[in-house]
Amino acid sequence: MQKPPTIHTIQPVVSSRLFHVEELHLEFSNGERRIYERLASRGHGAVLIVPMLDDDTMLLIREYSAGTGRYELGFPKGKVERGEDILEAAKREIMEEVGYGAHELHLLRRVSLSPGYMQHHTHLILARNLYPHRVDGDEPEPLEVVPWKLADAAELLAQDDFTEGRSLLALYLAQDWLKQHQR
Amino acid sequence: MQKPPTIHTIQPVVSSRLFHVEELHLEFSNGERRIYERLASRGHGAVLIVPMLDDDTMLLIREYSAGTGRYELGFPKGKVERGEDILEAAKREIMEEVGYGAHELHLLRRVSLSPGYMQHHTHLILARNLYPHRVDGDEPEPLEVVPWKLADAAELLAQDDFTEGRSLLALYLAQDWLKQHQR
């Protein structure tokens, strides 16, 4: 294992409403110096939830996504708010986005998005034992909720609008978890 | 399927060396208006490659990642440069990062990183039929190349420093591809 670089300073570069760019002045153990930019994460990370309506059925949403500029199919997700723990955030997000609460939540994995450039982390969570409970979120239009059978996971992977790396990964991790715990 | 929102304008907000924030002034089909920020992608996307040294062995790298501020284990990756197609970019990146060229490349999937907030796409690629060919990259220190047996994929998934969503997903997709094409 290499000796980590020394961080001489971390300086803010530019900020907008949502994004905060900072630069790290680094000196590697061999004396090489670099200035790297990254997106700072000021919040508490995000959650992405695989809600199981029953043992065979996942709930997805189809939502307009401003980044890619089109409707994308994926699992419900959102930011962890101040004072929430990650499981509370997961419960709230599925109430807002698919209209269910969950009695049972399991952390599948904490993942980084782009570790070279972003401080951000997302917690991938499996939700089971759902009960109807809708809470209004701040969505501009009603989200389309899309039930999908686990048995049809291959068809989901082949969908043209199911592109988000974290959602694709969560599908694999949920399948692994269910295989280990159910059968 | 819902009628997509009208994009009234797209305006630059702030820019740094690497990051370009813009805002979209949207009007949803129900008349709701929103201003959303996103990271614009000015380049040609990125590639992340699973290089197979032989049918049983993947090559990973361990690299200092300024976003998370620590060494991270993951597959080689990088930006697609101007004038390159994605398979050329994949070949160049593995020459620079693991010291091999590849006679055989397969696109596993094109994924979005965070479709709500980022325009960015990454192409996940499987590389086989490798041959030694090192090209100098712009790394500040030599990258540690880490061979990993496919049979030990569960141990890789359990590694504390293997956190990147795209690398985790690429591992699953590569296993699926190899199962379908080899055995």
Side-chain angles (χ1 to χ4, degrees), chain A residues 16-18 30 32 34-35 37-38 65-68 109 111-112 115-116 119 138 140 142 157 162-163 165 172 176, chain B residues 2 16-18 30 32 34-35 37-38 65-68 109 111-112 115-116 119 138 140 157 162-163 165 172 176:
Chain A
S16 70
R17 195 157 47 90
L18 296 185
N30 59 6
E32 283 284 317
R34 289 286 192 286
I35 300 173
E37 283 192 357
R38 73 175 178 192
S65 301
T68 53
R109 192 165 182 106
V111 297
S112 59
Q119 236 183 341
D138 57 354
L157 285 167
F162 187 59
T163 70
Y172 277 104
D176 279 0
Chain B
Q2 278 168 305
S16 70
R17 195 158 45 92
L18 296 185
N30 59 6
E32 283 283 319
R34 289 286 193 284
I35 300 173
E37 282 191 357
R38 73 174 178 193
S65 300
T68 53
R109 193 167 181 105
V111 298
S112 59
Q119 236 182 342
D138 57 354
L157 285 168
F162 187 60
T163 70
Y172 277 103
D176 279 1

Side-chain angles (χ1 to χ4, degrees), chain B residues 117-134:
Chain B
Y117 299 100
M118 298 172 70
Q119 236 182 342
H120 185 87
H121 283 93
T122 304
H123 297 87
L124 308 182
I125 291 164
L126 184 73
R128 302 174 76 198
N129 235 316
L130 303 188
Y131 55 92
H133 185 128
R134 174 163 298 282

Side-chain angles (χ1 to χ4, degrees), chain A residues 65-123:
Chain A
S65 301
T68 53
R70 54 177 226 163
Y71 285 86
E72 299 269 359
L73 186 62
F75 292 111
K77 58 180 184 283
K79 292 197 172 63
V80 179
E81 292 182 356
R82 187 198 299 261
E84 272 183 337
D85 69 31
I86 56 160
L87 298 185
E88 287 167 353
K91 277 188 195 175
R92 179 183 47 73
E93 286 294 340
I94 56 173
M95 288 177 180
E96 291 176 4
E97 301 201 342
V98 298
Y100 285 91
H103 289 300
E104 195 188 327
L105 295 153
H106 302 281
L107 176 63
L108 296 170
R109 192 165 182 106
R110 180 175 181 265
V111 297
S112 59
L113 208 51
S114 177
Y117 298 100
M118 298 171 71
Q119 236 183 341
H120 185 86
H121 282 92
T122 304
H123 297 87

Side-chain angles (χ1 to χ4, degrees), chain B residues 101-169:
Chain B
H103 289 300
E104 195 188 326
L105 294 151
H106 303 280
L107 176 62
L108 296 170
R109 193 167 181 105
R110 180 174 180 266
V111 298
S112 59
L113 209 52
S114 176
Y117 299 100
M118 298 172 70
Q119 236 182 342
H120 185 87
H121 283 93
T122 304
H123 297 87
L124 308 182
I125 291 164
L126 184 73
R128 302 174 76 198
N129 235 316
L130 303 188
Y131 55 92
H133 185 128
R134 174 163 298 282
V135 170
D136 282 339
D138 57 354
E139 280 72 24
E141 63 184 3
L143 298 177
E144 183 189 355
V145 178
V146 182
W148 206 285
K149 292 289 174 196
L150 256 188
D152 298 332
E155 286 74 15
L156 178 55
L157 285 168
Q159 286 288 304
D160 175 57
D161 60 353
F162 187 60
T163 70
E164 184 182 17
R166 288 176 295 183
S167 279
L168 284 151
L169 175 62

Side-chain angles (χ1 to χ4, degrees), chain A residues 160-175:
Chain A
D160 176 56
D161 60 353
F162 187 59
T163 70
E164 184 182 18
R166 288 176 295 183
S167 279
L168 285 150
L169 175 62
L171 173 61
Y172 277 104
L173 294 176
Q175 287 176 303

Side-chain angles (χ1 to χ4, degrees), chain B:
Chain B
M1 185 72 76
Q2 278 168 305
K3 189 168 170 286
T6 303
I7 301 175
H8 287 300
T9 58
I10 300 179
Q11 290 175 351
V13 179
V14 290
S15 271
S16 70
R17 195 158 45 92
L18 296 185
F19 299 103
H20 309 284
V21 180
E22 58 190 20
E23 60 181 27
L24 281 74
H25 294 241
L26 297 171
E27 182 175 348
F28 285 81
S29 61
N30 59 6
E32 283 283 319
R33 285 170 176 259
R34 289 286 193 284
I35 300 173
Y36 284 165
E37 282 191 357
R38 73 174 178 193
L39 286 180
S41 176
R42 299 249 175 113
H44 309 276
V47 288
L48 181 144
I49 310 103
V50 181
M52 301 298 302
L53 184 61
D54 55 49
D55 281 354
D56 305 312
T57 314
M58 306 172 284
L59 295 177
L60 293 116
I61 56 170
R62 189 173 273 121
E63 179 177 30
Y64 182 75
S65 300
T68 53
R70 53 176 228 165
Y71 285 87
E72 300 268 359
L73 187 63
F75 291 112
K77 59 180 182 284
K79 291 195 172 64
V80 179
E81 292 182 356
R82 186 198 301 261
E84 272 183 337
D85 69 31
I86 56 160
L87 297 185
E88 287 167 353
K91 276 189 196 175
R92 178 184 47 73
E93 286 294 342
I94 56 173
M95 287 177 181
E96 291 177 5
E97 300 202 341
V98 298
Y100 284 90
H103 289 300
E104 195 188 326
L105 294 151
H106 303 280
L107 176 62
L108 296 170
R109 193 167 181 105
R110 180 174 180 266
V111 298
S112 59
L113 209 52
S114 176
Y117 299 100
M118 298 172 70
Q119 236 182 342
H120 185 87
H121 283 93
T122 304
H123 297 87
L124 308 182
I125 291 164
L126 184 73
R128 302 174 76 198
N129 235 316
L130 303 188
Y131 55 92
H133 185 128
R134 174 163 298 282
V135 170
D136 282 339
D138 57 354
E139 280 72 24
E141 63 184 3
L143 298 177
E144 183 189 355
V145 178
V146 182
W148 206 285
K149 292 289 174 196
L150 256 188
D152 298 332
E155 286 74 15
L156 178 55
L157 285 168
Q159 286 288 304
D160 175 57
D161 60 353
F162 187 60
T163 70
E164 184 182 17
R166 288 176 295 183
S167 279
L168 284 151
L169 175 62
L171 172 60
Y172 277 103
L173 295 175
Q175 286 177 303
D176 279 1
W177 193 96
L178 291 167
K179 256 180 235 157
Q180 282 168 26
H181 291 82
Q182 279 189 317
R183 287 150 204 177

